[in-house]
Amino acid sequence: MSIATVNPATGETLKTYRAMGEEETERRLQLAEATFRTYRTTSFAERAGMLLRAADLLDEDQAEIGRVMTTEMGKPVAQARAEAAKCAKAMRWYAEHAEELLADEEPAAADVKDSGASRALVRYRPLGPVLAVMPWNFPLWQVVRFAAPALMAGNVGLLKHASNVPQTALYLEDLFHRAGFPEGCFQTLLIGSGAVDDILRDERVKAATLTGSEPAGRAVAATAGEMIKKTVLELGGSDPFVVMPSADLDRAAEVAVTARVQNNGQSCIAAKRFIVHTDVHDAFAERFAAGMKALKVGDPMREETEVGPLASERGRADLEELVDDARRGGASVLCGGERPAGPGWYYPPTVLAGITREMRVHREEAFGPVATLYRAADLDEAVLIANDSPFGLSSNVWTRDEAEVDRFVRDLEAGGVFFNGMTASHPALPFGGVKRSGYGRELSGHGIREFCNITTVWHGA
């Protein structure tokens, strides 16, 4: 299999790597197990010092690693630098808060007495080596939002990154090493997806986290279930963006454009299905399509570029198939919809209207700058359309009506509901989904406790 940097703006293969063999993989598994035995006993202060150093180094490397990410997967370079800055922020947040989040918990005195104990508490202890199977679309952020809490909890990490971002994957191992983490605390495994199953079955690996496709999630969950190992899965998303009559239409349309094309439209939490109340549908559609059409598409290394190429030729072909299927089914194309001439895997920002349940794009995730537009007669129909999806990652709602806010929070099937703004992830807020978007949570206190042994400690009277 190929582990290589292929520039999506040109299609040129820039650097190729050989996959690690069984001997090197075994060496790294042994090292992870040995390192965990001592690293687990380090203090929160020691771990925080190393993680803060990693954040400082990442800030220093921001421009360089930004260019690497853009070269490997095509995101506009300004967005790549912002991703690096976000990672440093998350590292600092966990360095500052992990000890508090994992502090011993003591039940109420009456409950302790009722249990027959003189003292009882709950303690969070690390599990051991955790395998992370990560995607290419946010090649730094997806890894750091796992690694920062896992390392602060006393676990060690094994990263199997996407095969098209090997330079970013190797950078991450080097970053944690330079920050002073013991050798073996965080290791990159340059392996193909076919090697994941054997590693997950290894008794030294205690848990796994995966961000990626539904088929990949099923495969990891099946093996982990057979081996009875904890997993966290963050899979696909087809997030609704609901606009009600009380919304600020100009602002909603402006944010809708950004929410759809962030990261060249290749984001699980990008808004993809735009569900607009009939009273404001046409006015919103006009503003939204105009905003999408005005975006600057081009070389992702240029500062002014807003949308770069898709990360792979296959990804563009998949997107084209969804658009063509919708067009054959009667959808109208308000803008975009045609592959541009020239090199690179570019696709224009596209808005499709008149979507029906029979179209593939209604059920499948469009992983690129393609938006689908729906008309809803009222709040009930808006909720119905929003929930008519196999996914349930996040959601966006634009309304100034508090009664509507309560209804959407109650009824939307999603891991998050963002009002009058676009979905975003923050270290202090839990992140994850329901339905086929996966299970478990990343970030916040919920995320750091996912890979902990929640231990009851009981002392007799």
Side-chain angles (χ1 to χ4, degrees), residues 147-228:
L151 290 170
M152 283 304 302
N155 295 302
V156 301
L158 294 163
L159 170 64
K160 189 285 179 212
H161 218 325
S163 295
N164 61 331
V165 290
Q167 292 185 62
T168 306
L170 292 170
Y171 167 82
L172 282 158
E173 178 179 301
D174 180 63
L175 174 69
F176 289 115
H177 178 72
R178 285 188 289 140
F181 283 93
E183 186 182 9
C185 261
F186 185 93
Q187 299 179 84
T188 288
L189 306 177
L190 285 185
I191 56 174
S193 57
V196 169
D197 190 75
D198 286 343
I199 293 172
L200 187 51
R201 290 179 184 277
D202 194 293
E203 292 294 342
R204 291 165 293 191
V205 174
K206 301 305 181 186
T209 179
L210 177 142
T211 299
S213 69
E214 202 176 320
R218 284 199 186 97
V220 165
T223 298
E226 183 181 341
M227 301 304 295
I228 315 180

Side-chain angles (χ1 to χ4, degrees), residues 46-373:
E46 290 175 283
R47 299 171 200 166
M50 292 181 283
L51 195 59
L52 289 171
R53 176 61 179 153
D56 291 342
L57 290 170
L58 184 51
D59 281 339
E60 294 172 12
D61 297 343
Q62 186 182 117
E64 178 184 354
I65 190 58
R67 287 192 295 270
V68 170
M69 285 191 284
T70 295
T71 299
E72 291 201 306
M73 56 71 57
K75 71 172 74 233
V77 70
Q79 294 182 27
R81 292 196 302 270
E83 180 175 338
K86 183 175 184 175
C87 290
K89 176 181 178 179
M91 289 176 179
R92 293 187 176 101
W93 191 88
Y94 272 108
E96 294 167 5
H97 294 281
E99 184 170 11
E100 173 191 354
L101 295 171
L102 297 180
D104 290 350
E105 297 176 5
E106 296 197 14
D111 292 329
V112 172
K113 182 178 180 181
D114 188 58
S115 74
S118 61
R119 183 184 175 215
L121 58 88
V122 176
R123 177 162 294 173
Y124 295 96
R125 298 187 292 157
L127 290 179
V130 179
L131 174 65
V133 182
M134 294 288 112
W136 47 262
N137 57 334
F138 291 95
L140 271 187
W141 173 241
Q142 303 280 13
V143 178
V144 166
R145 74 184 191 191
F146 139 76
L151 290 170
M152 283 304 302
N155 295 302
V156 301
L158 294 163
L159 170 64
K160 189 285 179 212
H161 218 325
S163 295
N164 61 331
V165 290
Q167 292 185 62
T168 306
L170 292 170
Y171 167 82
L172 282 158
E173 178 179 301
D174 180 63
L175 174 69
F176 289 115
H177 178 72
R178 285 188 289 140
F181 283 93
E183 186 182 9
C185 261
F186 185 93
Q187 299 179 84
T188 288
L189 306 177
L190 285 185
I191 56 174
S193 57
V196 169
D197 190 75
D198 286 343
I199 293 172
L200 187 51
R201 290 179 184 277
D202 194 293
E203 292 294 342
R204 291 165 293 191
V205 174
K206 301 305 181 186
T209 179
L210 177 142
T211 299
S213 69
E214 202 176 320
R218 284 199 186 97
V220 165
T223 298
E226 183 181 341
M227 301 304 295
I228 315 180
K229 293 182 179 180
K230 177 69 179 289
T231 54
V232 170
L233 302 182
E234 194 263 277
L235 308 178
S238 190
D239 290 3
F241 188 106
V242 181
V243 182
M244 298 299 287
S246 64
D248 178 338
L249 282 192
D250 289 332
R251 180 62 180 155
E254 179 185 1
V255 173
V257 171
T258 303
R260 184 62 203 98
V261 302
Q262 60 173 314
N263 207 48
N264 302 339
Q266 300 165 124
S267 170
C268 295
I269 59 169
K272 299 183 176 78
R273 297 177 297 130
F274 296 81
I275 303 161
V276 187
H277 192 284
T278 188
D279 290 352
V280 293
H281 177 278
D282 293 349
F284 175 86
E286 182 180 1
R287 290 166 170 81
F288 181 43
M292 291 282 280
K293 190 173 183 180
L295 290 165
K296 296 180 178 66
V297 180
D299 182 352
M301 285 295 184
R302 292 184 178 274
E303 294 293 331
E304 65 271 20
T305 294
E306 295 170 298
V307 180
L310 298 187
S312 70
E313 190 171 15
R314 178 69 257 173
R316 180 172 68 172
D318 290 343
L319 197 64
E320 286 180 307
E321 289 176 10
L322 289 180
V323 173
D324 290 345
D325 173 79
R327 186 185 277 119
R328 288 193 299 270
S332 57
V333 181
L334 303 188
C335 67
E338 298 293 339
R339 176 197 293 203
W345 300 314
Y346 291 91
Y347 197 81
T350 299
V351 178
L352 303 175
I355 304 301
T356 66
R357 299 186 80 252
E358 292 70 34
M359 297 173 186
R360 286 178 55 198
V361 75
H362 177 72
R363 307 293 296 174
E364 299 177 30
E365 180 179 19
F367 216 59
V370 172
T372 53
L373 189 60

Side-chain angles (χ1 to χ4, degrees), residues 4-19:
T5 296
V6 181
N7 188 340
T10 64
E12 179 186 5
T13 300
L14 302 176
K15 205 165 187 178
T16 303
Y17 296 81
R18 291 184 62 182

